[in-house]
Amino acid sequence: MSSTTPTETNTDGTSSNVVHSDTTRRFAMLAMALGGFGIGTTEFVAMGLLPNIASSVHVSEPTAGYVVSAYALGVVVGAPLIAALTARMSRRTLLIALMVAFTVGNAATVLAPNFATLMVARFVAGLPHGAYFGVAALVAAHLAGPRNRAKAVGLVLLGLSVANVLGVPLATWLGESLGWRAAFVVVVIIGIVTIGALFVTLPALDDMAVTNPMTELGALTRPQVWLTLAIGVVGFGGMFAFYTYLNTALTSLTGISVGWVPVVLMVFGVGMVVGNLVGGAAADSSVPRAIFVGLVATAVVLGLFAAFVASPWAAVPLTFLVGVSATAMVPALQTRLMDVAEDAQTLAAALNHSALNIANALGAWLGGVVIAAGFGYRAPSVLGAGLAVAGIVVLGVALAVARRSAARHTATSTTATSTTATPTPAGVGAESE
């Protein structure tokens, strides 16, 4: 009597008879989420410690702000570069190597003797960021199977959101108490633990397809990849326009004391956690609908925040809802990139985080522009609502282009089928009955 092993279609279109147990999947995803927790902590903790960093390396606070830009630049550069150059590498080996590089970059941050070295260290620490999340999303989707892939992606990204609730406040407190370098020591420890967890929990992943650099770079020739990235840059830029100036909006408009601002920021972080969970489940039902609903909700909530920011009873719950609505889009955007990239999924998935970092820079810059123009600290929220609406427009264009392309492909296939099925004229090799 023979038995057969169940076969499952992978997200890359291949099929495999390798079946991973629920325990294997769960622990592997938790290990990948722990890496995201470390990355989220290092990305945001520097913002709260800029005065400490500035005095330590003897530069002004605005100049110290360049360390944040250096990290973001590392993300933008590293995501496509690493994804393309490591296309042939085992996904398991690549994830571990990326976390090693991340840990080394943060160790260099701790040991940096001057500002120039610190800038280089932050750039290096940012290089693996996008590629790590991109590969982790693909691995999570692969392990979870087609029915639960977006939920799995959301679980991996959950580490990034939890960092805003736990990791960043804890590291900031340590940085204030023991010196800013202590905050990055915490990140190094998280990195070391993650390396061990990935080594122990990740299966071999031999059933995951690998590609080559030219195939991965082919993602850059696909209009749907660029349109999806544009949705992230424009739509998610609205959230960053709001978040960058939230501190001052709460103290100057809402009347919340400075001591309560960290609590409200933690409320926002909890909203991000909820958004990841809700967004992953929604994207498994319909990716386009999840993106659309997230953008609409973000536009509405940001508009309400601008209208009711003077009341703490409204501003605090609305801050939570901004975190939910904006973050709910991320698993869907990540999943859509994996879908439209076809055989270049690693590069496309990694580019999502380059896009989100560009959104960060764009939102912060535009928010500063409207404040400098004299519109006050309500203006970034109004601007953010407008950017979310612009994201809806880009989504509409992307879906329209996709439908037109699908219709053209169907018409071409129908024509080819009709031509093949045309009867051969009698007397020219045709068989008679």
Side-chain angles (χ1 to χ4, degrees):
M1 183 175 179
S2 62
S3 62
T4 57
T5 305
T7 302
E8 186 173 80
T9 302
N10 300 326
T11 55
D12 54 16
T14 62
S15 61
S16 169
N17 60 3
V18 176
V19 178
H20 302 287
S21 69
D22 289 341
T23 302
T24 297
R25 297 178 187 185
R26 188 177 301 113
F27 280 110
M29 289 178 193
L30 287 174
M32 290 186 286
L34 179 61
F37 178 77
I39 291 174
T41 301
T42 199
E43 181 178 18
F44 292 105
V45 73
M47 299 176 190
L49 293 174
L50 284 182
N52 311 65
I53 294 172
S55 62
S56 172
V57 295
H58 311 295
V59 296
S60 67
E61 188 172 339
T63 301
Y66 291 141
V67 301
V68 178
S69 301
Y71 184 90
L73 181 61
V75 178
V76 173
V77 171
L81 188 65
I82 294 173
L85 293 179
T86 61
R88 297 182 185 275
M89 188 180 293
S90 155
R91 304 296 91 174
R92 181 181 190 275
T93 303
L94 178 55
L95 269 178
I96 295 172
L98 288 169
M99 188 47 55
V100 169
F102 168 80
T103 305
V104 168
N106 281 281
T109 299
V110 174
L111 300 173
N114 53 52
F115 182 65
T117 311
L118 180 60
M119 287 284 288
V120 174
R122 296 314 293 153
F123 176 79
V124 171
L127 287 173
H129 177 130
Y132 177 86
F133 278 117
V135 175
L138 288 173
V139 171
H142 175 81
L143 292 174
R147 291 186 184 87
N148 299 299
R149 60 192 184 127
K151 195 180 299 180
V153 170
L155 180 60
V156 170
L157 295 174
L158 193 62
L160 192 60
S161 300
V162 174
N164 284 279
V165 182
L166 299 176
V168 174
L170 173 61
T172 302
W173 175 75
L174 285 174
E176 294 280 4
S177 303
L178 305 176
W180 67 268
R181 296 178 194 271
F184 294 95
V185 170
V186 172
V187 175
V188 171
I189 293 171
I190 295 171
I192 293 171
V193 173
T194 302
I195 293 168
L198 292 173
F199 188 82
V200 171
T201 63
L202 279 180
L205 300 174
D206 293 333
D207 51 330
M208 283 193 73
V210 295
T211 57
N212 60 71
M214 294 310 297
T215 298
E216 291 295 339
L217 290 172
L220 301 179
T221 67
R222 297 185 173 92
Q224 285 296 323
V225 169
W226 287 106
L227 285 168
T228 306
L229 292 172
I231 295 168
V233 169
V234 178
F236 214 71
M239 188 277 283
F240 282 113
F242 159 84
Y243 184 74
T244 303
Y245 303 98
L246 177 60
N247 189 322
T248 306
L250 291 171
T251 54
S252 65
L253 300 177
T254 310
I256 291 176
S257 66
V258 175
W260 281 99
V261 169
V263 176
V264 181
L265 296 182
M266 288 182 69
V267 168
F268 178 81
V270 172
M272 293 180 70
V273 172
V274 174
N276 259 314
L277 296 173
V278 171
D284 276 325
S285 174
S286 170
V287 169
R289 183 167 62 240
I291 298 173
F292 175 75
V293 172
L295 288 168
V296 170
T298 300
V300 170
V301 175
L302 285 174
L304 289 173
F305 182 89
F308 298 104
V309 65
S311 167
W313 299 106
V316 175
L318 287 168
T319 298
F320 169 80
L321 291 176
V322 173
V324 174
S325 60
T327 310
M329 290 185 286
V330 179
L333 286 169
Q334 188 82 67
T335 304
R336 188 171 202 273
L337 277 170
M338 289 155 53
D339 287 340
V340 300
E342 299 175 16
D343 56 353
Q345 293 187 351
T346 304
L347 177 59
L351 282 172
N352 190 39
H353 297 275
S354 293
L356 296 183
N357 272 267
I358 294 171
N360 189 346
L362 176 69
W365 174 66
L366 289 176
V369 168
V370 295
I371 291 170
F375 293 105
Y377 282 90
R378 293 178 191 264
S381 297
V382 177
L383 170 72
L387 287 173
V389 171
I392 295 171
V393 174
V394 179
L395 173 63
V397 171
L399 295 177
V401 170
R403 281 194 296 268
R404 190 178 300 116
S405 177
R408 189 182 303 117
H409 177 74
T410 301
T412 302
S413 300
T414 302
T415 302
T417 302
S418 300
T419 302
T420 304
T422 301
T424 306
V428 188
E431 290 184 356
S432 58
E433 296 183 356

